Amino acid sequence: FQYLKRFHQGCGLDTFWYEVLSVEGSPAECLQLFLLHCGIMDPSWAELRNFAWFLNIQLRDCESSVFCNPDFVEDTLKGF
């Protein structure tokens, strides 16, 4: 949700890192962003759960990859 919120607001995500145990927004705002970005017109709860699960895994892997670390790659992959 933290990534989707910033993406939706047009913020750069290159230097953002997930903040463990931090709470942002409301459950309604979270659901609204999931519905907006999941890519399915009328998703079931299972489809929303799978979207959130997949997004979480991809973003966690991205954060742990040295190739996505802005301190390592500097400006060579800006916006990637």
Side-chain angles (χ1 to χ4, degrees):
F1 171 74
Q2 292 176 11
Y3 274 97
L4 280 179
K5 182 179 177 183
R6 283 161 179 78
F7 175 77
H8 187 72
Q9 293 171 341
C11 298
L13 300 174
D14 292 341
T15 58
F16 175 74
W17 294 94
Y18 168 68
E19 300 169 27
V20 178
L21 300 178
S22 69
V23 177
E24 294 183 15
S26 67
E29 185 182 9
C30 180
L31 180 59
Q32 184 179 22
L33 281 178
F34 280 2
L35 288 169
L36 185 64
H37 292 283
C38 78
I40 300 173
M41 187 63 95
D42 186 21
S44 67
W45 284 111
E47 290 167 328
L48 284 175
R49 185 226 173 260
N50 288 339
F51 169 71
W53 174 78
F54 177 77
L55 186 61
N56 184 52
I57 288 175
Q58 295 300 309
L59 292 171
R60 185 182 60 212
D61 289 349
C62 179
E63 283 187 351
S64 66
S65 171
V66 69
F67 297 107
C68 296
N69 184 332
D71 296 330
F72 177 73
V73 296
E74 296 174 353
D75 64 350
T76 58
L77 298 174
K78 186 167 180 68
F80 181 70

